[in-house]
Amino acid sequence: MISLKVINEDNFVDAFNLKLAKGQEEYVSHPVRSLAQAYVYRNQCQPFGIYADEKMVGYVMVIYDYDVPEYDIWHMMIDESLQGKGYGRAALNQIIEYIKAKPFGDSSRIALTCNKNNYVAKALYESIGFSATGVEDEDEIELVMNV
């Protein structure tokens, strides 16, 4: 059973211990960097641990962009030893449900970016209902979903 749990003083070290698979550093930031961003943007974001039962298996952060407005999914990752088990898909579906509750503000737009060469992640996002917008920034492409 996959669940999302807010990152707090009880579990942040577990997030630090998550490992990216070799070569994935070019695709996603480690939770250490993401949690620093969460502190800076604390009035508009929520970091989560992705749990399989009671074990943290991944990390993701949701941020609300007041300027657009839209919800953004940042830094989603599953520990290298636990990839390929469907945890990412299950977590993504739960994140979308969280966003539908509009915890930071009103918007029906969810955006994320993906490295052009991260074909596995891009296929996952598209299979859930995200579509590429054509917007690119260096090696990242933007995908969006309206909910």
Side-chain angles (χ1 to χ4, degrees), residues 26-27 73 109 111-123 125-126 130-144:
E26 68 183 280
Y27 298 149
I73 298 172
R109 180 179 159 103
L112 54 80
T113 60
C114 179
N115 185 290
K116 292 182 210 182
N117 298 319
N118 192 345
Y119 303 111
V120 173
K122 185 174 182 283
Y125 300 143
E126 289 175 339
F130 284 88
S131 300
T133 63
V135 174
E136 295 186 14
D137 183 17
E138 296 180 17
D139 57 352
E140 298 279 316
I141 59 171
E142 178 186 61
L143 295 100
V144 300

Side-chain angles (χ1 to χ4, degrees), residues 22-40:
K22 186 173 171 87
Q24 289 181 333
E25 300 85 12
E26 68 183 280
Y27 298 149
V28 65
S29 295
H30 190 274
V32 171
R33 177 176 182 230
S34 184
L35 285 171
Q37 289 174 312
Y39 175 77
V40 171

Side-chain angles (χ1 to χ4, degrees), residues 59-75:
Y59 173 88
V60 65
M61 186 165 71
V62 173
I63 188 162
Y64 185 71
D65 186 337
Y66 287 98
D67 295 331
V68 174
E70 73 182 10
Y71 284 90
D72 298 317
I73 298 172
W74 281 8
H75 308 294

Side-chain angles (χ1 to χ4, degrees), residues 41-107:
Y41 297 108
R42 63 189 166 275
N43 295 324
Q44 65 193 83
C45 76
Q46 183 60 65
F48 292 102
I50 301 167
Y51 283 79
D53 298 315
E54 294 302 312
K55 178 182 170 80
M56 186 182 293
V57 298
Y59 173 88
V60 65
M61 186 165 71
V62 173
I63 188 162
Y64 185 71
D65 186 337
Y66 287 98
D67 295 331
V68 174
E70 73 182 10
Y71 284 90
D72 298 317
I73 298 172
W74 281 8
H75 308 294
M76 185 168 164
M77 59 90 64
I78 301 296
D79 187 84
E80 67 175 342
S81 67
L82 300 164
Q83 293 178 6
K85 298 179 182 292
Y87 296 151
R89 176 179 300 280
L92 194 54
N93 284 321
Q94 289 190 22
I95 294 159
I96 291 166
E97 290 305 310
Y98 170 79
I99 291 170
K100 284 180 181 178
K102 303 185 186 319
F104 294 102
D106 191 33
S107 179

